[in-house]
Amino acid sequence: MDANVFKKFYRSFYLKTSGYIPTRPLNISLYPGDFFQIKNGEIIILGNIFRNNVVSTDEVEMAYGISLNPANWSFTEGVTKPYSGRDIGENPLDGEYGYTKQVLAFNSFGSFLFNSVNAESVKIVNWSDISQELIIKLTQVLYSFREVYVVTESVVAENWTLAIGGSDKAELEIASEKESFGLLDLFGASNSKTIHARDIEFYHKEDKKKPSFFKAKKLIVQPEKLDVFISDLIQQQHNRASWVNSFFEYDFNHDTISFQSSVPQNINTSVLDMLQVNQLNPNTCLQYFRWIDANLDDIEKLFLYYGNQS
């Protein structure tokens, strides 16, 4: 399966639900307090701040069963309903019976339908009270993380269903005894059945309360530290050509305007790698780190791969 088939769904999910992200892969569970990294397009769970005694449970206030707006938790992209109507079937025992049939057409690779019922969250309410303690312990005292995420909120649903098309010819045909009016009326309903599917790349119905969706905070380097580092880096690159001439006894070809002025992708870790010994310690780490909300940039990381992918 081409993993990029999920990309539209993850982006739309974040925007439609006001910042929640599906787990990746979708069969893992993320609980409040889980800390993880993103490696090769997957979430790698490393521990939990409560289970690993990073913070005391007495310091944390949790909220359970927070109801989420149903209107934000069922949506589609690139799917139309070319046919919906009442048909007649026949049962050898009961004779003829009426049923509703829908044909759902996917207009491109990655088009999807998502439907959930009774989504609710479990949340760390007083994140601000523990955020600085977490920086100190996760980067200096207990661990030496430079990049890490901490789950602040997990979402479960009574049930949810997701179908993703693998081409512009993908199609689902669904039948049910109940009436149908909207695009998502039958999709995912308990009394509906899929009677035909074509070019559907992913189809899953989850009927257990697994925390498959989450919000998280991401550890980053303070922007002020980044600005200083980038300024110094650019200045060093300006002076590089003259240093090459004076140091090497060789006629290297160089261009004084060819220095790399763009910001490296791993700029956060580069700042910390350049610090002198003991410059970063439990007393100074709050000057270098802060938390921000996981966002669309982090969703992009879920679709970055190294090596071959099937």
Side-chain angles (χ1 to χ4, degrees), residues 201-237:
E201 192 78 1
F202 181 85
Y203 195 144
H204 178 74
K205 183 177 179 68
E206 181 59 60
D207 57 6
K208 298 180 176 62
K209 284 192 171 184
K210 291 178 60 176
S212 301
F213 318 104
F214 68 95
K215 284 186 176 181
K217 295 290 185 178
K218 173 176 62 173
L219 187 72
I220 65 164
V221 176
Q222 291 275 17
E224 298 81 7
K225 298 294 182 181
L226 283 178
D227 292 342
V228 172
F229 175 77
I230 293 170
S231 178
D232 290 345
L233 183 63
I234 292 175
Q235 185 59 44
Q236 289 174 29
Q237 294 290 355

Side-chain angles (χ1 to χ4, degrees), residues 272-288:
L272 304 175
D273 290 343
M274 293 290 287
L275 294 178
Q276 297 179 8
V277 176
N278 296 326
Q279 192 173 347
L280 181 61
N281 57 59
N283 295 320
T284 64
C285 63
L286 293 179
Q287 300 172 25
Y288 288 92

Side-chain angles (χ1 to χ4, degrees), residues 46-247:
L46 302 172
N48 186 286
I49 61 173
F50 308 124
R51 186 179 182 187
N52 295 69
N53 298 314
V54 180
V55 295
S56 169
T57 54
D58 295 335
E59 301 177 55
V60 179
E61 182 183 350
M62 303 290 297
Y64 297 93
I66 304 169
S67 295
L68 301 175
N69 186 351
N72 296 338
W73 284 82
S74 293
F75 47 89
T76 73
E77 182 176 322
V79 180
T80 58
K81 185 174 62 173
Y83 175 81
S84 179
R86 295 287 293 178
D87 281 3
I88 301 296
E90 187 169 344
N91 185 301
L93 297 178
D94 303 323
E96 290 187 348
Y97 63 94
Y99 67 94
T100 297
K101 185 172 76 171
Q102 277 188 353
V103 175
L104 303 174
F106 298 69
N107 66 18
S108 65
F109 175 83
S111 296
F112 67 85
L113 293 140
F114 174 75
N115 184 55
S116 71
V117 177
N118 297 333
E120 58 183 32
S121 77
V122 177
K123 180 179 181 179
I124 298 174
V125 176
N126 62 332
W127 169 261
S128 59
D129 294 339
I130 63 172
S131 60
Q132 292 192 343
E133 179 184 355
L134 281 175
I135 289 176
I136 295 170
K137 289 185 176 179
L138 290 175
T139 68
Q140 295 296 307
V141 178
L142 298 179
Y143 302 96
S144 56
F145 287 116
R146 298 296 178 260
E147 295 180 355
V148 73
Y149 300 78
V150 177
V151 176
T152 56
E153 188 172 357
S154 298
V155 174
V156 302
E158 187 176 308
N159 63 74
W160 60 266
T161 309
L162 171 65
I164 304 179
S167 76
D168 58 0
K169 297 180 176 59
E171 189 176 85
L172 279 178
E173 191 173 333
I174 301 173
S176 175
E177 293 181 2
K178 77 169 190 175
E179 293 287 345
S180 168
F181 300 99
L183 188 62
L184 285 167
D185 284 350
L186 297 188
F187 179 74
S190 58
N191 59 352
S192 66
K193 295 181 179 179
T194 299
I195 56 179
H196 174 72
R198 180 175 68 182
D199 286 356
I200 300 299
E201 192 78 1
F202 181 85
Y203 195 144
H204 178 74
K205 183 177 179 68
E206 181 59 60
D207 57 6
K208 298 180 176 62
K209 284 192 171 184
K210 291 178 60 176
S212 301
F213 318 104
F214 68 95
K215 284 186 176 181
K217 295 290 185 178
K218 173 176 62 173
L219 187 72
I220 65 164
V221 176
Q222 291 275 17
E224 298 81 7
K225 298 294 182 181
L226 283 178
D227 292 342
V228 172
F229 175 77
I230 293 170
S231 178
D232 290 345
L233 183 63
I234 292 175
Q235 185 59 44
Q236 289 174 29
Q237 294 290 355
H238 272 297
N239 298 331
R240 190 165 184 243
S242 60
W243 174 83
V244 168
N245 277 341
S246 63
F247 184 80

